[in-house]
């Protein structure tokens, strides 16, 4: 029934003011919706109406506009009424007009003010949006010891402004489109027009335009799944998320593409390889030597999060694999529960604790940790449900997961750890070897928007792999990643290292003359 009524509605505004007024009131639900406002005015002897949604607009600016319009006479607004309103009487720089009734309705629903006037088959849209938003606070998942403390918010215009502060380049593009038949969510694609791969940019735009769905309630995550078809069940993240403007700007300079979705503080960076998810801003906020150390500690933590529990479980069930000097590794008494089920139960317990911590009010999180550690953990060991070694190694593995900069990659590594645990449980040593090779092959065949996921390891690129393993100094970062196929591959010209020249020493007789002058 509703679809039938929508088809019967006119496509364009007419010269009949009352008909336009009734159509817009019907479509916008004026009267049925408490927050949809229709304010009728008399301007120069002509009837007019303003449509807007309460809470979206700057009421002070709108009141000023209404006050200025009521002083106009009929001779001042005719002929060419719409042009005179746009160029003379509506004192605002963000104006648009349209004859399409659908565009007028979409504009109002997105927070703009629509103005129609008697005898005109064209409406004016005034952008007076004033969003209620939180401040650009530092994101919890990407904190740094030294560096900027601002972060993206849920308001798209704030996010684009934070990027503009860091990328003051005329080639920076911010293209907006609406996705979702009902939500009409704003999505902004950002890239450097003279750097990024324009073929990839057009492909991303085509994917976004092809989205045909009611809405995007989960914002950026919904967009990711809709533009990466065929890989829904692959746990490896194909895009990287960030809430830091400096990280987003750095990827723009390298030739990546950003996708920003309104109502979400998480920015999509694409394409992204496995090693992109292992980078963190802290490495570049410290000196190269410290950055290398932090990067390798992070690599070790990620490696540990995947292989520690399977390797410990293997040497526990196959003690002959250990040399004599390491025979102390492994539980002396397995306990009442088989070791494999202890690991599974411990992993599930950690996940349950993590989920509970998310849903626990902040004042009670400390109490939750004490209950889990002292009561549940200690009692579980006392009754023989877990051995102390299982609890210790599971805790280490859980901690190293949170050392992974990308939360999505950390969860994927957890699933990889489960897979290796079951492979060792079934096949012992061959299971660990074959399972590790299977994971490597699986990641090797994965691609992120046409980019090999394990590049520069597979396919091998020695120069790029060196920059992944070693945090190179800024003066040595001369080229952009070759795999992105950017238009401009040079980031900076190679320059000789600056050297400090000390001030020349004064001769002895000159110092004597200066001392005599002082006396």
């Amino acid at each position: 029934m509703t679809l039938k009524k929508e088809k019967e509605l006119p496509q364009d505004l007419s010269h009949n003011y009352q008909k336009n007024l009734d159509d817009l009131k019907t479509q916008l639900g004026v009267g049925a919706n408490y927050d949809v406002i229709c304010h009728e005015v008399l301007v120069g002897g002509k009837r007019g109406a303003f449509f807007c949604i309460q809470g979206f607009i700057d009421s002070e600016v709108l009141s000023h506009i209404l006050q200025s319009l009521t002083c106009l006479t009929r001779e001042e607004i005719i002929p060419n009424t719409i042009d005179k309103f746009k160029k003379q009487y509506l004192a605002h720089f963000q104006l648009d007009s349209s004859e399409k009734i659908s565009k007028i309705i979409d504009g109002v629903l997105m927070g703009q003010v629509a103005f129609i006037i008697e005898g005109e088959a064209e409406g004016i849209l005034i952008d007076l949006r004033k969003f209620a938003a939180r401040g650009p606070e530092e994101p919890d998942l990407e904190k740094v010891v030294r560096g900027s403390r601002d972060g993206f918010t849920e308001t798209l215009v704030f996010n684009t402004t934070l990027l503009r502060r860091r990328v003051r380049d005329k080639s920076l593009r911010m293209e907006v489109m609406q996705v979702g038949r009902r939500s009409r969510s704003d999505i902004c694609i950002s890239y450097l027009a003279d750097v990024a791969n324009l073929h990839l940019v057009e492909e991303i735009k085509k994917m976004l335009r092809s989205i045909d769905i009611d809405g995007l309630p989960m914002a950026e995550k919904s967009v990711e799944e809709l533009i990466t078809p065929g890989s829904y069940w692959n746990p490896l993240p194909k895009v990287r998320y960030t809430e830091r403007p400096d990280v987003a700007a750095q990827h723009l300079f390298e030739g990546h593409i950003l996708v920003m979705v309104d109502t979400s503080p998480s920015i999509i960076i694409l394409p992204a390889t496995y090693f992109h998810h292992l980078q963190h801003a802290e490495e570049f906020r410290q000196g190269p030597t410290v950055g290398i150390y932090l990067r390798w500690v992070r690599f070790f933590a990620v490696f540990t999060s995947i292989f520690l529990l399977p390797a410990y479980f293997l040497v526990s069930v196959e003690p002959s694999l250990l040399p004599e000097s390491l025979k102390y590794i492994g539980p002396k008494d397995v306990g009442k529960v088989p070791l494999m089920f202890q690991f599974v139960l411990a992993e599930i317990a950690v996940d349950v604790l993590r989920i509970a911590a998310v849903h626990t009010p902040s004042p009670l999180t400390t109490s939750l940790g004490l209950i889990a550690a002292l009561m549940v953990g200690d009692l579980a060991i006392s009754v023989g449900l877990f051995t102390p070694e299982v609890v210790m190694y599971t805790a280490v593995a859980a901690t190293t997961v949170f050392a992974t900069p990308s939360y999505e990659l950390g969860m994927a590594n957890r699933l990889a750890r489960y897979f290796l645990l079951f492979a060792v449980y079934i096949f012992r040593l061959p299971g660990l070897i074959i399972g590790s090779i299977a994971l490597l092959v699986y990641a090797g065949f994965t691609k992120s928007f046409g980019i090999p996921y394990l590049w520069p390891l597979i396919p091998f690129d020695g120069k790029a792999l060196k920059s992944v393993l070693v945090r190179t100094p800024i003066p040595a970062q001369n080229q952009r990643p070759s795999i992105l196929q950017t238009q401009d591959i040079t980031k900076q010209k190679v320059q000789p290292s600056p050297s400090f020249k000390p001030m020349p020493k004064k001769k002895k007789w000159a110092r004597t003359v200066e001392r005599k002058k002082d006396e």
Side-chain angles (χ1 to χ4, degrees):
M1 192 69 177
T2 305
L3 292 175
K4 185 177 180 181
K5 287 183 179 179
E6 288 180 356
K7 291 181 180 179
E8 292 176 353
L9 285 171
Q11 299 294 324
D12 300 329
L13 294 172
S14 68
H15 291 277
N16 187 333
Y17 167 76
Q18 190 61 46
K19 185 177 185 302
N20 294 337
L21 184 67
D22 293 339
D23 289 340
L24 287 174
K25 283 185 175 181
T26 301
Q27 285 295 291
L28 292 171
V30 176
N33 295 311
Y34 83 95
D35 57 344
V36 180
I37 300 172
C38 174
H39 181 69
E40 296 188 59
V41 294
L42 192 65
V43 181
K46 285 189 173 187
R47 292 181 295 168
F50 285 88
F51 290 88
C52 62
I53 295 181
Q54 186 179 12
F56 275 166
I57 61 170
D58 190 333
S59 57
E60 293 185 5
V61 178
L62 182 58
S63 298
H64 178 74
I65 292 176
L66 289 172
Q67 186 178 3
S68 63
L69 292 182
T70 54
C71 301
L72 297 177
T73 62
R74 188 176 183 86
E75 291 75 16
E76 290 176 317
I77 64 173
I78 58 174
N80 301 323
T81 302
I82 296 296
D83 287 340
K84 286 185 177 180
F85 274 116
K86 290 172 62 177
K87 297 178 181 178
Q88 295 181 15
Y89 304 127
L90 289 175
H92 201 269
F93 62 93
Q94 289 181 302
L95 293 176
D96 193 10
S97 61
S98 177
E99 299 175 354
K100 300 291 183 181
I101 193 170
S102 60
K103 185 174 180 180
I104 299 295
I105 293 171
D106 288 342
V108 174
L109 294 176
M110 286 189 289
Q112 297 178 325
V113 178
F115 175 53
I116 60 171
I117 193 166
E118 184 180 4
E120 301 296 331
E122 189 175 1
I124 298 176
L125 289 170
I126 315 169
D127 195 344
L128 299 178
R129 285 177 286 191
K130 184 179 180 181
F131 296 108
R134 64 181 177 89
E137 303 167 355
E138 184 179 16
D140 290 333
L141 293 178
E142 299 176 89
K143 290 185 176 181
V144 293
V145 176
R146 188 181 304 280
S148 60
R149 303 299 176 185
D150 55 350
F152 291 122
T153 69
E154 289 77 13
T155 307
L156 183 61
V157 66
F158 288 2
N159 296 342
T160 56
T161 303
L162 290 173
L163 270 180
R164 287 282 184 184
R165 286 187 64 190
R166 291 166 169 82
V167 187
R168 301 177 182 180
D169 188 0
K170 63 181 182 299
S171 67
L172 177 61
R173 298 291 180 264
M174 300 278 192
E175 301 181 16
V176 176
M177 62 179 67
Q178 284 74 43
V179 175
R181 293 192 302 268
R182 296 183 183 274
S183 67
R184 306 297 296 165
S185 303
D186 289 328
I187 297 180
C188 177
I189 306 171
S190 180
Y191 60 95
L192 293 177
D194 57 354
V195 174
N197 186 336
L198 296 182
H199 173 73
L200 181 58
V201 172
E202 292 302 321
E203 289 296 317
I204 299 301
K205 292 180 185 177
K206 188 185 301 183
M207 291 177 184
L208 291 172
R209 294 192 190 102
S210 65
I211 295 176
D212 186 14
I213 194 172
D214 278 356
L216 302 173
M218 295 296 108
E220 80 291 342
K221 190 58 185 177
S222 300
V223 172
E224 178 199 347
E225 294 187 10
L226 288 167
I227 64 177
T228 54
S231 59
Y232 308 117
W233 304 109
N234 189 337
L236 294 172
K238 310 302 182 307
V239 301
R240 181 183 178 184
Y241 292 106
T242 186
E243 296 183 29
R244 293 190 62 89
D246 50 359
V247 173
Q250 177 63 27
H251 281 81
L252 274 179
F253 290 132
E254 289 184 354
H256 292 265
I257 303 168
L258 306 183
V259 178
M260 296 175 276
V261 186
D262 195 24
T263 72
S264 173
S266 298
I267 305 301
I268 298 175
I269 302 173
L270 56 89
T273 66
Y274 185 88
F275 297 102
H276 279 112
H277 294 279
L278 300 181
Q279 295 178 357
H280 193 270
E282 183 67 22
E283 301 166 5
F284 299 93
R285 292 290 185 177
Q286 304 294 334
T289 305
V290 178
I292 293 172
Y293 168 74
L294 294 176
R295 181 171 294 186
W296 275 93
V297 168
R298 186 169 291 112
F299 287 165
F300 175 75
V302 173
F303 183 85
T304 301
S305 69
I306 300 175
F307 293 101
L308 177 63
L309 290 188
Y312 173 76
F313 178 62
L314 176 62
V315 298
S316 297
V317 296
E318 295 285 348
S320 59
L321 296 175
L322 287 173
E324 289 296 330
S325 58
L326 298 178
K327 287 295 183 180
Y328 62 90
I329 297 178
K332 304 301 179 183
D333 183 13
V334 175
K336 302 176 183 179
V337 181
L339 201 58
M340 178 62 187
F341 293 102
Q342 290 187 36
F343 279 116
V344 174
L345 288 175
E347 289 279 6
I348 295 175
V350 170
D351 282 331
V352 169
L353 181 61
R354 178 183 59 84
I355 295 171
V358 172
H359 300 293
T360 303
S362 297
L364 300 178
T365 51
T366 303
S367 301
L368 175 67
L370 292 174
I371 292 172
L374 299 179
M375 296 181 63
V376 179
D378 188 58
L379 287 175
I381 295 174
S382 300
V383 300
L385 185 61
F386 297 124
T387 61
E389 290 88 347
V390 168
V391 175
M392 183 188 71
Y393 285 108
T394 303
V396 172
T399 304
T400 53
V401 166
F402 293 107
T404 308
S406 169
Y407 180 78
E408 292 75 21
L409 182 61
M411 297 307 296
N413 289 341
R414 289 182 68 87
L415 296 180
R417 186 166 70 237
Y418 271 116
F419 172 74
L420 291 179
L421 271 173
F422 281 102
V424 171
Y425 176 70
I426 298 173
F427 301 108
R428 299 297 191 266
L429 181 59
L432 179 62
I433 297 174
I434 296 174
S436 301
I437 295 174
L439 290 176
L440 185 64
V441 171
Y442 185 73
F445 278 99
T446 301
K447 289 189 176 182
S448 171
F449 297 90
I451 303 299
Y453 199 63
L454 291 182
W455 183 87
L457 183 63
I458 302 175
F460 184 77
D461 186 335
K463 185 176 181 181
L465 184 61
K466 179 183 176 182
S467 65
V468 167
L469 299 178
V470 179
R471 190 286 214 199
T472 54
I474 298 299
Q477 299 176 12
N478 302 318
Q479 292 188 341
R480 297 182 174 89
S482 59
I483 197 67
L484 296 178
Q485 299 180 5
T486 55
Q487 303 173 63
D488 182 7
I489 64 172
T490 304
K491 296 175 66 175
Q492 64 176 336
K493 295 181 180 179
V494 180
Q495 299 178 353
S497 301
S499 57
F500 175 76
K501 294 182 179 180
M503 295 179 62
K505 294 182 179 180
K506 294 182 179 180
K507 294 182 179 180
K508 185 176 181 180
W509 62 267
R511 293 198 299 269
T512 304
V513 171
E514 288 183 357
R515 187 168 58 253
K516 289 182 178 180
K517 288 182 178 179
D518 294 338
E519 293 175 353

